[in-house]
Each structure stands twice: as C-alpha cells, then as structure tokens.
Amino acid sequence: MCGALFQRAIRAGRVIACAALMAGCTSAIRNDPINQPLTANPAQVEAALTPSVPDNYDDMVVALSFSGGGTRAAAFSYGVLTGFDQTRVPTRNGAVSLLDRLDFLSGVSGGSILAAYYGLRGRAALGDFKQRFLDVDAEQGLQTNLSLGNIARGLQGGVNDATAFPVWLDAQLYNHATFKELLSRSRPRVWINASDIYNRTAFIFAPVTFSALCSDLSSYPVSLAVAASAAVPVVFAPIVIQNYPGGCPVGLPSWVQRVHNNPSAPPLIKSYADALERYRSGEIKYVKLLDGGLVDNYGLAGFTIARLASNTPDGPLAPAEAVKLRRFLFLVVDSGRDPDGKWSQTIAGPSGVDLIMATSDTATDSGAIGSYSAFDATMKDWREQLIRWRCGLSEAERTRLGAPPGWNCRDVEFFISRISFDELGPDRSAALNAVETRLKLPPDQVNMLIAAGRDALAANPAFVAFMKSLPRGPRMPPPPPRAAPVAVAPQSPTTQEAQAN
C-alpha cells in the first residue's frame, strides 16, 4: 500500500514538474487592461450614466438578484423572470406585468450573464435569451481539458484569458455594448459584481468604483465585466483594470472617507470604502478581478452599500419615492447546490479536483451567507428609519413629496426572501441539485430549470405574501404542479467539474 502511494506521489510530482517547466514555454496570457482614463467633465460623465427615471413607481419597489452557478443559474433565473412577466400587479394606470416594475437587478457570475442582457434589452431579452445562450454551448472556444499545457497556463494565472469568453459574449449576446448603454436605461438599475482579489472585497461595476480609479465606466465593455464576474480562478485568468491616480477631475463621495475613518463601520461597506481609498491614493496600480461569487455569490453588495452609504433615511431612493413606498420586494434567486461528494463517507479525501471544488464551494457559500445576513439586517434597519422619517414629516412636506390622501406613515412592508430549489420538494430539488455548474447543459435540463424558476417563484412564501398585500386582486401565476417531471442529470468527467459558475 505504501509503495502504491509512493508511486502515485512520484507520478503527481512529475506532472507538476513538467507543467512548471512548460509554464515558461506557453503563450503569454492576454489580459491587458483596456479601461480608459476619465478625462471628460465629471458632470457630463455623471449625466451620461444617470438615466431620467419617469415618475411611475407608484407605491412599490421591486428588486431581483441572480446568484452564480453557470448556465444552471442563468436558466433558473430566466424562469423567475418569465414568472414575473406572467404576474399582473396594479398601478395607478391599470394592471401591468410585474416585470415592467423591476427597479433593481443584480447579477453574479452565471447570473450576471442574464442580468446584463436583460439590462441592455429589457423585455425583448425574454424573447431570445434562451436561443442565444441557454440552448448553445458557451464553452466553445474555451480550453477545458486537463492537459499539461492547460495546467501550465493555470500555473501562469489562468487557462482562458480575455481573448476567449468576452469575445464570445460580444458575438453571441452583447454586440460590443458598453456601460453607457447599460446604465442609461431608465429601468432597472443593474449591478454586475466581481471580486477584487487584492482587497478581498466586492468590485461593483458602478460609477463610484470607476471614479475612484479615475477611469471612464461609460466606455467599458459589458462583456468584460460579465467575464470578470464569471472568472473562476485558474479556469480563467483575472480581468485587469488599470488605475489612473493623480489629477483626477472628480472627487470621492464624502461617505467614502467617513466610512474609511470609522473602525466600527459595518465590514461590508468598510472593506469597499478602504478599497476605493487605495485606488484613489495610487497604492494599487492594477486591480485584478475574479469570480464575484468568491466574495458575494448573491450579488447583494451593490444595494447594501448603496443603502449604508446614504446619509438620509430614504436613500438610495428619492425622497418622493420613499414617501409613496408601501411595498418593497427583494428576491434573491439562489441557484446554488447542496453539498455533494462521496469522500464524506470515507476517511480518505477529498483530493485533486474534489479538494479544489470543496474549498471553493466552502468559501463561496460562507461568503453568501455573510452577505445575506448583512443585507437582511440592513433592510430591517432601513425600514425602521423610513418609518421614523416619514412619521416626522410635516403636513407641508408630505404634500410637497406627493403623499396621497389617507396616507399612513407606518404602512411600509418589506418582503425579502431567497428563492431556491428547496421550494419545490425533495424530488425536484434533488434533480436540480444534480445539474452541474457548467456553461453548457442538455436541453432537457435547461427546460427543467426554467420551469423550476417559475414554479419556485409562485411557491415562495414572501412572494405570495407580497402579492396578497397588493390591492385590487392582482393575478398571480398558477401554483406549481404537485408532481413535476424529473430530469436526471448525466455524469461527466471530473476534469470538467471546475467550470465557471
């Protein structure tokens, strides 16, 4: 037995040694930064990225966040979007689709692929996203086999660089769109989330982040942001952003220094503010970005930081919107899988790919739990502050801000929940959990995930309560069937298990 183990160790050592030698012979990783310095007038830049939002929000705010999980996450989230589209809600102008009332949308990794596409195309995205992404092989053009050459590239920093996935995304989905196009749309406000692996914090593709780098977000390609959000370590090389410190025409928001100098600030916003200060000071020359799930697999950092950074009880909403607000719905679409691995039944293991995956899953899941806990606590505190502020308004202020007749300052309900496979019972949940984290799936699994997203939305208790709280009897999608067909996920080689999530 000892002899066999020794021989395995020798073989493994030879593989690593050969890969290390080959690392000096492989082609260089191409991930040179392409972000441009901020040279325009700051007011013009801000105006270009600040849409004119029509006053049609009535008394509700609706937000979604799509977790990571490769095509599995994109398909499950797509099912939730179709469920939104099938749900009618009342407005002052009559009943409309809940999808048309989506105010905020955040995405991580696989979820960011759909979030960005919907942010660019709106309702039209529902018509062809399945054809353009879910039903195609997004791994074409990627290096996925476990060869000495790929091991060598992995040791250099990543098997696939910026010449692969971002190019495919532009050709298939985004057509070279930039953030000027993404952020200039009136609704929803979209966040794409990656991880800054030096500062160990969320990197949110937002104006404040790029302003700290003195860089122009409006010209940055959406495809590169999504590729950064989905860049699983080793499988993908980091996406690199260049810093342009010194002589920046725009200053940092006042809250950044306030939080940076406050050792008691909540850890989520403290780490983000510290990173922004390091960017602006020039301490960091290049920002290296990997999978957003490493820090926040639920994509909640954007909204949480936007709220914590506010010096007002209403932010990030406008005062008039906060006065009218009665119902706030925020659903996290969680496409994560339950723990898996036969090594839990043996003394030996995990090893190899299983060890890498187990370590990555542990970090991702623990980070997601932490971000959700911080988000939930922030939302509860925000509701209390909103009520105190609203109830303290004078009659003149209420009238100026548009409070309707019979307005109740305490009538503010928050509905915050996580939609997951668990909503659908043990049999369907087991089948969904068996779907791999990859960028290509069989058609039957794609269809199963889309149906699961619609059904999980209809079964979610917080969503049901939200719908029941609305006036004039809004129509909900039909409940999920008691017995749904279960697709069995096929097995694939372990060398493919480390695909992008």
Side-chain angles (χ1 to χ4, degrees):
M1 179 177 178
C2 291
L5 290 174
F6 183 67
Q7 291 300 320
R8 290 176 62 188
I10 290 177
R11 286 196 295 270
R14 286 172 178 168
V15 170
I16 294 172
C18 289
L21 289 172
M22 290 184 66
C25 303
T26 56
S27 58
I29 293 174
R30 297 174 60 184
N31 58 351
D32 293 341
I34 68 167
N35 61 301
Q36 299 300 308
L38 186 61
T39 57
N41 181 284
Q44 293 176 339
V45 174
E46 184 176 358
L49 296 178
T50 304
S52 176
V53 180
D55 181 17
N56 63 351
Y57 40 70
D58 292 312
D59 59 357
M60 75 173 73
V61 171
V62 179
L64 285 172
S65 182
F66 299 153
S67 81
T71 298
R72 183 185 68 244
F76 188 61
S77 299
Y78 178 80
V80 172
L81 278 186
T82 60
F84 263 49
D85 191 35
Q86 296 168 5
T87 303
R88 309 290 289 180
V89 295
T91 71
R92 63 188 181 191
N93 297 319
V96 300
S97 167
L98 182 59
L99 188 64
D100 296 328
R101 299 304 313 276
L102 185 59
D103 299 286
F104 299 97
L105 179 60
S106 182
V108 175
S109 199
S112 73
I113 299 171
L114 174 58
Y117 193 63
Y118 183 82
L120 286 168
R121 302 203 64 212
R123 170 177 294 282
L126 291 186
D128 63 1
F129 182 74
K130 185 174 185 293
Q131 174 188 355
R132 286 180 171 271
F133 180 76
L134 299 178
D135 290 338
V136 301
D137 179 5
E139 294 177 9
Q140 59 182 322
L142 297 180
Q143 298 295 324
T144 60
N145 60 312
L146 189 60
S147 65
L148 285 176
N150 282 345
I151 293 175
R153 287 180 63 83
L155 290 174
Q156 280 190 309
V159 178
N160 297 280
D161 59 22
T163 64
F165 195 42
V167 174
W168 186 91
L169 287 170
D170 267 328
Q172 195 71 18
L173 291 173
Y174 305 133
N175 194 28
H176 305 282
T178 66
F179 272 83
K180 181 178 181 180
E181 297 164 74
L182 180 63
L183 298 184
S184 62
R185 296 181 63 92
S186 61
R187 177 180 277 120
R189 179 177 176 183
V190 177
W191 287 291
I192 305 299
N193 305 271
S195 296
D196 175 344
I197 57 174
Y198 179 83
N199 288 296
R200 293 169 286 183
T201 189
F203 185 94
I204 305 162
F205 285 85
V208 64
T209 311
F210 271 64
S211 293
L213 294 162
C214 204
S215 182
D216 179 20
L217 176 61
S218 66
S219 63
Y220 196 75
V222 172
S223 60
L224 277 175
V226 171
S229 183
V232 174
V234 181
V235 177
F236 294 96
I239 297 295
V240 181
I241 303 286
Q242 184 171 349
N243 191 11
Y244 296 98
C248 193
V250 60
L252 290 176
S254 59
W255 67 263
V256 174
Q257 187 173 18
R258 169 172 54 85
V259 173
H260 174 67
N261 294 330
N262 179 10
S264 300
L268 178 64
I269 192 172
K270 180 72 164 64
S271 63
Y272 184 64
D274 290 348
L276 298 185
E277 285 282 356
R278 292 189 186 106
Y279 300 159
R280 178 51 60 89
S281 70
E283 177 183 337
I284 297 172
K285 187 174 182 180
Y286 297 105
V287 182
K288 310 295 178 70
L289 304 178
L290 284 174
D291 188 350
L294 297 175
V295 173
D296 173 21
N297 200 42
Y298 288 161
L300 297 173
F303 197 93
T304 307
I305 290 171
R307 170 57 205 151
L308 291 174
S310 300
N311 272 328
T312 63
D314 49 89
L317 304 181
E321 188 172 8
V323 163
K324 294 180 182 178
L325 179 64
R326 294 184 61 246
R327 302 294 178 261
F328 179 84
L329 174 68
F330 198 118
L331 298 176
V332 178
V333 184
D334 179 9
S335 304
R337 302 195 300 174
D338 287 341
D340 184 34
K342 295 180 180 179
W343 49 265
S344 63
Q345 306 302 315
T346 64
I347 294 177
S351 60
V353 173
D354 285 340
L355 178 60
I356 295 172
M357 294 299 294
T359 303
S360 174
D361 289 345
T362 299
T364 297
D365 288 354
S366 62
I369 293 170
S371 69
Y372 189 86
S373 298
F375 173 75
D376 189 52
T378 300
M379 293 301 100
K380 289 177 179 177
D381 180 69
W382 184 30
R383 179 178 179 271
E384 294 176 359
Q385 290 191 42
L386 269 178
I387 291 175
R388 286 197 298 269
W389 170 71
R390 285 158 53 114
C391 293
L393 293 173
S394 67
E395 183 176 351
E397 289 172 322
R398 294 196 299 266
T399 301
R400 179 178 60 84
L401 294 173
W407 178 74
N408 182 352
C409 65
R410 297 186 177 277
D411 183 18
V412 183
E413 293 188 54
F414 280 26
F415 301 86
I416 297 170
S417 185
R418 184 177 63 92
I419 297 177
S420 68
F421 301 154
D422 295 339
E423 315 271 1
L424 303 171
D427 292 338
R428 292 184 75 184
S429 178
L432 294 163
N433 274 294
V435 178
E436 293 180 324
T437 303
R438 300 192 56 176
L439 289 173
K440 66 173 181 179
L441 293 175
D444 62 329
Q445 290 190 357
V446 169
N447 294 330
M448 175 180 69
L449 285 158
I450 293 172
R454 285 194 297 262
D455 295 345
L457 173 68
N460 181 265
F463 180 70
V464 172
F466 167 76
M467 295 301 297
K468 288 182 177 179
S469 74
L470 301 179
R472 298 187 293 277
R475 182 177 65 82
M476 292 181 58
R482 291 187 178 182
V486 175
V488 178
Q491 298 297 314
S492 64
T494 56
T495 56
Q496 295 177 337
E497 291 179 0
Q499 290 302 312
N501 70 341

